[in-house]
Amino acid sequence: MKIALMDSGIGLLAATAAVRRLRPDADLVLSLDPDGMPWGPRTPEDLTRRAVAVAEAAAAHRPDALIIGCNTATVHALPTLRARLEPGIPVIGTVPAIKPAAAGGGSVAVWATPATTGSPYQRGLIAEFASGVQVTEVPCWGLAEAVEHADERAIEAAVAAAAELTPGDVTTVVLGCTHYELVAERIRAAVQRPGAAPLVLHASAGAIAAQALRRIGEQPAPDAPAEGKLTVILSGREGELPAAALHYAEGRLLPAAERLADRR
């Protein structure tokens, strides 16, 4: 089994780790775009062009499925990628977990990039799945970029700033950018109010990994031999996992992390 994941940067690590935990025997192909990142500020047309190139670089390795490990790329490029690659390669997008968050009741905050916050796409999800629920959209200025570069000071500042914008009665936070899942516990600590019930976080990685397996007719096998190989593609060129990936537990799960650690 071979599963490919794509993103402009290391935001795909959360979904990659989820796939690795469900199927440690699966070969993984990670297709990143360091030459074109970040994708967020690009026009939808430009972003789609970059995403198509990254997806086709992954498709050249003949995966059984392709996961778009990026909310922004899913918004703008999913229809194009499906038209190009399916039915030969199922394409699985990343959608913020607004529906299960709203189903849990209580006040919900959706942490997302400034480009996604207030967008018709996100507003549509809220209207469809969270009607009657108090939902606050929280723009997280600079957080994805800080996570991408493993910049501790910038992460701390960005999380604190977003927490200040989050209402005190929020009981649930939706992580609306895949990068945020890499610092989920720091977000929890920043938003959790003393004496309040434990904050509920909703991320997408686990559901995406499970959906990828369903699309190709496979079942989770977490006890399978950890024999899966890793291929990394950087803007179309085979390369190595970015060094910043080693900063996160999700990156350290991958076999390429051992080579990075040896070099440090």
Side-chain angles (χ1 to χ4, degrees):
M1 185 196 317
K2 183 183 293 184
I3 295 178
L5 300 97
M6 60 170 283
D7 189 5
S8 63
I10 63 173
L12 52 64
L13 285 179
T16 302
V19 173
R20 173 61 76 220
R21 292 186 182 104
L22 290 179
R23 290 300 299 255
D25 58 334
D27 291 340
L28 302 177
V29 178
L30 307 188
S31 190
L32 289 71
D33 188 27
D35 292 355
M37 66 179 301
W39 283 350
R42 293 181 176 275
T43 65
E45 296 76 17
D46 190 22
L47 188 154
T48 298
R49 284 193 294 271
R50 303 294 310 190
V52 166
V54 169
E56 290 185 341
H61 290 257
R62 303 179 67 182
D64 298 298
L66 171 67
I67 293 171
I68 307 175
C70 173
N71 296 85
T72 303
T74 299
V75 171
H76 297 298
L78 179 59
T80 299
L81 294 178
R82 283 184 167 163
R84 282 177 174 262
L85 299 178
E86 292 188 344
I89 302 175
V91 180
I92 298 91
T94 299
V95 178
I98 291 172
K99 183 178 181 180
S107 177
V108 176
V110 182
W111 281 35
T113 64
T116 300
T117 301
S119 66
Y121 167 74
Q122 184 161 288
R123 291 279 171 88
L125 290 175
I126 293 170
E128 182 176 0
F129 297 120
S131 178
V133 176
Q134 181 181 336
V135 178
T136 301
E137 297 180 90
V138 178
C140 302
W141 296 94
L143 181 53
E145 293 80 2
V147 172
E148 177 69 31
H149 296 101
D151 185 331
E152 281 293 322
R153 287 188 178 182
I155 292 171
E156 182 178 356
V159 167
E164 284 292 322
L165 299 175
T166 303
D169 63 346
V170 158
T171 60
T172 303
V173 172
V174 175
L175 303 180
C177 171
T178 54
H179 280 80
Y180 303 169
E181 298 190 38
L182 301 179
V183 291
E185 291 310 311
R186 298 176 69 164
I187 292 172
R188 185 193 303 277
V191 178
Q192 180 69 55
R193 301 298 192 261
L199 185 74
V200 178
L201 293 183
H202 280 275
S204 302
I208 294 166
Q211 174 67 1
L213 293 183
R214 283 193 294 269
R215 287 290 304 275
I216 61 177
E218 294 285 351
Q219 297 293 324
D223 296 326
E227 298 172 348
K229 299 177 182 177
L230 180 70
T231 301
V232 178
I233 308 168
L234 305 175
S235 298
R237 309 173 300 271
E238 285 203 33
E240 295 192 351
L241 202 62
L246 196 59
H247 190 73
Y248 305 103
E250 292 84 349
R252 294 192 293 271
L253 275 178
L254 304 177
E258 297 177 4
R259 296 197 298 273
L260 287 172
D262 289 341
R263 294 181 179 182
R264 287 193 165 189

